[in-house]
Amino acid sequence: EIVMTQSPATLSASPGERVTLSCRASQSVNGKLAWFQQKPGQAPRLLIYATSFRATGIPARFSGSGSETDFTLTISSLQSEDFAVYYCQQYGDWPPYTFGQGTKLEIK
Amino acid sequence: QITLKESGPTLVKPTQTLTLTCTFSGFSLSTNGVAVGWIRQPPGNALEWLALIYWDDDKRYRPSLKSRLTITKDTSKNQVVLTMTNMDPVDTATYYCAHRVDSINTFDYWGQGTLVTVSS
């Protein structure tokens, strides 16, 4: 089973800032990496798939990059609605699909 | 517009079998490349994928839970059912169903989730 490790666990930032969240896989996932955003009491929302492709309706301030085992999600200019928990997920070698433990993005 | 909604008991006793239904609209589970999966999330914890069923009735399960899980579909009713046997308090979680299509390969539409508590 591929283990996904996200860092940091919590990130404090201010509106307007640029932030980068990290995700590392225990082995190569061949670029098959997705990012989800989850707000309290809500279902996860797909942001990015295949490392760098934005899902339908996702603003351009969200971007993804990486390869092999190391991936990043960048938010270019934080908006108030972006404060949430972010999960990465691999689908390069499954079953099982595996998720990271999440990064909580909080307001500084 | 794709929507999914989970339904089932909110409380089950230890050792009982959980049956959850995912009712969806906006797509057909008989369309080539479409699948529906189940994912759960214990309170305050991360997401854990459980099972997936494809348009052609092929199925995949989380290896560590495979002996306890069964996923089925009723295409005519637009429903997917997940059963989990021998429930334990550690299975307390919000259970989500989600849509997956081959072109994206991950879960692009999710239900709102249903909280299942396992307690005597």
Side-chain angles (χ1 to χ4, degrees), chain B residues 38 51 59 61 65-72 81-85:
Chain B
W38 286 92
K59 301 163 188 179
Y61 295 101
L65 294 172
K66 187 174 182 178
S67 63
R68 297 175 55 204
L69 295 171
T70 303
I71 190 169
T72 60
V81 174
L82 180 75
T83 61
M84 179 180 288
T85 61

Side-chain angles (χ1 to χ4, degrees), chain A residues 36 38 43 87 89 94 97, chain B residues 41 54 96 100 105-107 111:
Chain A
F36 294 86
Q38 188 178 34
Y87 293 97
Q89 178 236 336
W94 71 284
Y97 290 122
Chain B
Q41 185 173 38
Y54 289 92
Y96 297 98
R100 175 197 175 277
N105 232 341
T106 187
F107 302 106

Side-chain angles (χ1 to χ4, degrees), chain A residues 1 34 36 38 42-44 46 49 87 89 91 94-101, chain B residues 41 45-47 49 52 54 60-63 96 100 104-108 110-111:
Chain A
E1 172 175 326
F36 294 86
Q38 188 178 34
Q42 296 185 16
L46 178 64
Y49 65 96
Y87 293 97
Q89 178 236 336
Y91 49 100
W94 71 284
Y97 290 122
T98 50
F99 293 83
Q101 80 279 18
Chain B
Q41 185 173 38
N45 285 331
L47 299 158
W49 171 77
L52 186 82
Y54 289 92
R60 296 288 185 272
Y61 295 101
R62 187 175 196 84
Y96 297 98
R100 175 197 175 277
I104 292 180
N105 232 341
T106 187
F107 302 106
D108 54 351
W110 294 60

